[in-house]
Amino acid sequence: MHTHSVISAFIIPSTDSLKEQQAQCDSAVVDIWTELACDNPDALNADLAGSQRDFGYCLSQLDQHEEAARVVHIAADIYTKLAHDDPDGFNTSLASTQYLLGHIYNWLERYEEAARAAQDAVDVYMRLARDDMHTYDAALAVS
C-alpha cells in the first residue's frame, strides 16, 4: 500500500500542480486571443474577455491575487464596452466578472474597490432580474 502511494505521487500531479498547469494554459489562450482580437476586435473581444476572466480566476486560485486583479479588471473593461453595445448578450458576463473582481479585491484587502465591484455586479444583476426574475433571482441573492 505504501509503495502504491509513492508511485501515485509521481504519476498523479498534485492539485497545486494542476492549477499551475491550468494557469499556463490559460495564459497561452489569453495570448492567442489577444493577438487575434487585435486583427478583428469586434468579432473576438468577447472571447478575449472570457479567457482573461478564466485566467484571472486561475491566478486567484494560485494566490496570485495582484495579477488576478489586473487580468480580471481587463476582462471587466472589455465586457463593459461589449455590454454597452449589446446588453442582452453581455450583461451576464459583465456581472459575473465584476463579482469575481470584487472577491479578488477582498482577498487583497482592497475593501473599497471590492465594494465598488460588488455593487457594480449587483446593479447589473438587478437590471437583469427586472427582465427575467426567475433566472437572475439566485444570482442576485448571492451577490
Side-chain angles (χ1 to χ4, degrees):
M1 188 69 98
H2 179 69
T3 305
H4 175 69
S5 63
V6 171
I7 293 171
S8 294
F10 291 106
I11 297 172
I12 302 170
S14 71
T15 303
D16 287 342
S17 176
L18 290 174
K19 288 178 184 177
E20 289 170 10
Q21 289 174 6
Q22 181 65 44
Q24 290 171 352
C25 290
D26 285 350
S27 177
V29 169
V30 167
D31 290 345
I32 292 167
W33 282 120
T34 300
E35 187 174 323
L36 292 171
C38 285
D39 295 333
N40 193 356
D42 291 338
L44 300 174
N45 269 346
D47 295 309
L48 174 59
S51 64
Q52 290 277 29
R53 181 187 56 220
D54 295 346
F55 181 43
Y57 175 78
C58 195
L59 289 170
S60 73
Q61 294 298 300
L62 291 168
D63 294 326
Q64 297 179 25
H65 301 301
E66 285 292 341
E67 182 65 8
R70 187 189 69 75
V71 169
V72 175
H73 186 80
I74 292 168
D77 286 348
I78 296 169
Y79 278 132
T80 298
K81 292 172 188 165
L82 292 169
H84 181 270
D85 294 336
D86 183 5
D88 292 338
F90 295 103
N91 269 340
T92 302
S93 296
L94 173 59
S96 66
T97 302
Q98 289 288 6
Y99 182 75
L100 173 60
L101 188 58
H103 278 285
I104 293 169
Y105 284 146
N106 192 54
W107 288 319
L108 291 168
E109 299 179 3
R110 292 163 54 180
Y111 300 119
E112 289 181 21
E113 291 167 288
R116 270 195 305 274
Q119 186 61 56
D120 289 345
V122 168
D123 291 346
V124 174
Y125 279 129
M126 288 190 65
R127 286 194 304 270
L128 290 165
R130 274 187 294 230
D131 296 334
D132 187 0
M133 181 59 86
H134 297 294
T135 300
Y136 296 102
D137 197 27
L140 188 55
V142 297
S143 297

